[in-house]
Amino acid sequence: MILICYKHRYYHLYFGGIFKLFGQELFVMRMASTVLGTGIIFVSFKILKELKLNIKWSVLSSALLFLFIKDNFYIDYNYAILFIILVLIYIELKYKNYSTRYNLLIGLLAGITILLKQSTGIIISAITVLYLIIEKRDKEVLKAVGYRILGVLIPCIILLIYLLATNSMPSFIDYCVLGIGTFKNSISYLKLLRGGDLTAIWGMIAPLTLVVLLVINIINIKRKVIKTKESNLILFVYAVAEFTVVYPIADKVHFVIAAFPAILITLYYICKKIQEIKNIKVSIFIEHFMNIITISFVGILILQAINDIYLYTQMDKSILNHFSNIPISSTLQARIIEVDAYIKDEERDVYILDSEAAVYMMPLDKYNKDFDMFLKGNLGLASEEGQIEKIKNMENAVILIKNDKMALNWQTPTKVIEYIKNNLEKIGTVSFFDVYITK
């Protein structure tokens, strides 16, 4: 089975049907990521259009948003949440009303984010429901709140039924509830700002945009401004909800996902101000200039895409099981073949304790639970001590860990690695892995 994500998320359930239809291949995931990425940009374009930007500004802004995420995009539950957030913004802007179906749909989409990532999903769901009562709490609003809560509960109840039917509730509580307290990894937002690159600049712009939007909303509420009040409030609450993704790991990948709505809002306000210039000569100049820039920019992106497709057709594809049509370096493929051959020839159970273990286990159709996503926060309440106990109880098992010359993932459970080095017998090497045997 292809390992998609952290096992304490339920993103893989959404992929089950896709794999059933199209096969368990990494290429299927690549295609799914393309659809998801396209969806994110398309919905962004629709949001900008709904905010009354003209087509040229909307296209240019969407292209800039594509450039913002393209180097850090991959199939991931955080990106799926981003897509849902954008859909929520679009629906709220376009179909703002208090009908039953509308509010059930809003709640349902918010509830789905809880299944993708419990911490972020709960925040999104709470904001989706509670922002309605910021100004008024009349019968109509409270009824809408009730339908949204019902919508949030539907996917949660479905998940509960699934957990009970599959006897997965104890694991859910262990990994998703109690195990959260064992996740101690973090990257400071200040470290992101000290990067001195374009990301650091956006890192200052994104929260500043949210602060400015907060001030605008406070002023609008006090002055009872109706025209733009609702759209500003919708943009603000959902951008804030998404920005929580940056905590506690404020690296580039998490920041790009978290800041996406804020950057969209920034581009919207910049383009809106330019679009509203009343000087005819300046307006005509901007119009012609925008035509040239937009056509050139989109043309470059299309040519780059064509070039990427051509390069892909020229690359050697992997011969590994589940890696069909995936370009892979000869060095990596040779290493996977070498390690997998060792595992197949070994009569004893073999485990790889590394964040990359799934790369070697997928071609063998093997799944070793905690060991295949060997990262802090993935190990349940017992955490590293639990894994050490598990190793102590293993009889005549083989364990592979990277040798001292190779860098470990920064979230590697190093206590377990040190225990293996200090207490187990090293019997050899395979590729860059040291081989240990339990007693």
Side-chain angles (χ1 to χ4, degrees):
M1 178 180 178
I2 292 179
L3 188 65
I4 301 171
C5 58
Y6 298 124
K7 57 186 172 302
H8 58 283
R9 316 297 190 199
Y10 286 87
Y11 191 34
H12 63 283
L13 294 179
Y14 299 105
F15 267 99
I18 295 175
F19 284 136
K20 285 290 185 181
L21 289 172
F22 302 105
Q24 294 191 24
E25 296 289 341
L26 288 175
F27 186 75
V28 173
M29 291 185 68
R30 295 280 179 92
M31 292 297 99
S33 69
T34 301
V35 172
L36 178 59
T38 302
I40 287 171
I41 301 303
F42 177 73
V43 178
S44 299
F45 171 79
K46 296 292 288 184
I47 289 171
L48 293 167
K49 284 285 293 170
E50 192 60 33
L51 291 168
K52 310 305 179 186
L53 281 190
N54 62 37
I55 290 180
K56 286 187 284 290
W57 284 116
S58 297
V59 169
L60 180 61
S61 297
S62 300
L64 290 172
L65 288 167
F66 169 74
L67 291 179
F68 181 64
I69 67 169
K70 78 177 186 68
D71 291 335
N72 293 294
F73 184 81
Y74 52 92
I75 199 73
D76 176 78
Y77 50 83
N78 282 317
Y79 273 110
I81 289 174
L82 171 60
F83 174 72
I84 292 174
I85 282 280
L86 295 172
V87 172
L88 284 169
I89 292 172
Y90 177 70
I91 293 174
E92 293 266 43
L93 291 173
K94 188 172 181 63
Y95 304 106
K96 185 66 179 174
N97 59 67
Y98 294 116
S99 72
T100 300
R101 286 187 297 178
Y102 163 82
N103 286 293
L104 272 174
L105 175 60
I106 293 291
L108 182 64
L109 289 171
I112 289 173
T113 64
I114 297 177
L115 273 62
L116 294 170
K117 186 179 181 181
Q118 286 77 54
S119 55
T120 306
I122 289 171
I123 294 172
I124 291 170
S125 298
I127 288 177
T128 299
V129 171
L130 296 177
Y131 93 88
L132 290 178
I133 59 176
I134 289 177
E135 287 186 85
K136 54 182 180 178
R137 301 169 185 84
D138 58 27
K139 184 178 179 181
E140 192 176 28
V141 171
L142 293 177
K143 186 178 179 181
V145 168
Y147 282 122
R148 290 193 179 198
I149 292 174
L150 179 60
V152 169
L153 290 176
I154 289 173
C156 296
I157 291 171
I158 292 173
L159 173 62
L160 179 62
I161 294 171
Y162 168 81
L163 293 174
L164 293 173
T166 57
N167 296 317
S168 302
M169 184 60 75
S171 294
F172 176 81
I173 294 173
D174 184 21
Y175 287 99
C176 296
V177 182
L178 302 178
I180 291 175
T182 68
F183 187 80
K184 305 297 183 183
N185 295 324
S186 65
I187 296 178
S188 168
Y189 198 81
L190 291 176
K191 183 177 180 181
L192 181 80
L193 297 180
R194 290 194 294 263
D197 55 5
L198 187 59
T199 303
I201 296 173
W202 283 119
M204 292 183 284
I205 293 174
L208 181 61
T209 298
L210 296 179
V211 171
V212 170
L213 202 52
L214 173 61
V215 173
I216 291 173
N217 278 293
I218 292 173
I219 294 172
N220 284 345
I221 290 171
K222 286 185 176 181
R223 294 181 178 178
K224 296 183 179 181
V225 177
I226 303 298
K227 187 175 181 181
T228 59
K229 181 176 61 179
E230 285 189 346
S231 61
N232 283 330
L233 184 58
I234 289 166
L235 292 172
F236 173 70
V237 296
Y238 284 113
V240 169
E242 181 64 20
F243 203 71
T244 60
V245 170
V246 83
Y247 178 82
I249 301 178
D251 60 5
K252 288 186 178 181
V253 174
H254 285 82
F255 169 75
V256 164
I257 299 169
F260 190 94
I263 302 305
L264 184 152
I265 294 167
T266 303
L267 292 172
Y268 159 64
Y269 277 109
I270 292 172
C271 294
K272 180 185 176 185
K273 289 299 180 184
I274 298 174
Q275 186 175 290
E276 291 175 349
I277 292 175
K278 298 186 183 298
N279 185 292
I280 296 177
K281 290 184 178 180
V282 175
S283 180
I284 292 173
F285 171 78
I286 292 174
E287 180 77 13
H288 290 303
F289 180 73
M290 275 302 304
N291 287 335
I292 295 171
I293 292 297
T294 303
I295 293 171
S296 300
F297 199 37
V298 173
I300 290 171
L301 291 178
I302 292 173
L303 289 174
Q304 184 179 4
I306 293 172
N307 183 62
D308 289 342
I309 293 171
Y310 172 76
L311 291 176
Y312 169 79
T313 61
Q314 303 303 306
M315 292 178 179
D316 293 331
K317 309 303 187 298
S318 176
I319 61 172
L320 298 168
N321 187 30
H322 299 307
F323 283 70
S324 299
N325 297 309
I326 297 294
I328 184 173
S329 71
S330 57
T331 302
L332 175 58
Q333 180 162 272
R335 184 164 70 245
I336 294 173
I337 291 172
E338 178 186 357
V339 173
D340 284 1
Y342 176 86
I343 294 172
K344 285 190 287 188
D345 291 341
E346 179 60 64
E347 295 180 356
R348 295 165 291 193
D349 291 330
V350 180
Y351 305 97
I352 301 176
L353 271 62
D354 188 74
S355 61
E356 300 173 359
V359 173
Y360 301 93
M361 293 301 174
M362 278 190 289
L364 298 174
D365 285 313
K366 289 182 178 290
Y367 172 62
N368 297 307
K369 200 177 179 180
D370 297 339
F371 295 150
D372 284 351
M373 283 294 288
F374 196 58
L375 298 170
K376 292 179 182 178
N378 276 10
L379 308 176
L381 179 61
S383 192
E384 296 183 71
E385 290 73 17
Q387 300 306 306
I388 291 173
E389 270 313 303
K390 188 185 296 183
I391 292 169
K392 286 180 180 178
N393 294 326
M394 288 179 177
E395 293 184 5
N396 202 29
V398 176
I399 295 178
L400 277 58
I401 61 173
K402 282 181 178 175
N403 62 41
D404 293 335
K405 295 180 181 179
M406 300 300 298
L408 297 174
N409 184 287
W410 70 284
Q411 297 187 77
T412 297
T414 52
K415 287 183 182 178
V416 183
I417 300 298
E418 290 303 314
Y419 172 81
I420 292 170
K421 290 180 178 179
N422 296 330
N423 294 276
L424 302 188
E425 178 187 356
K426 180 180 175 181
I427 61 172
T429 61
V430 54
S431 184
F432 51 53
F433 291 102
D434 289 334
V435 182
Y436 291 82
I437 186 171
T438 61
K439 297 178 181 178

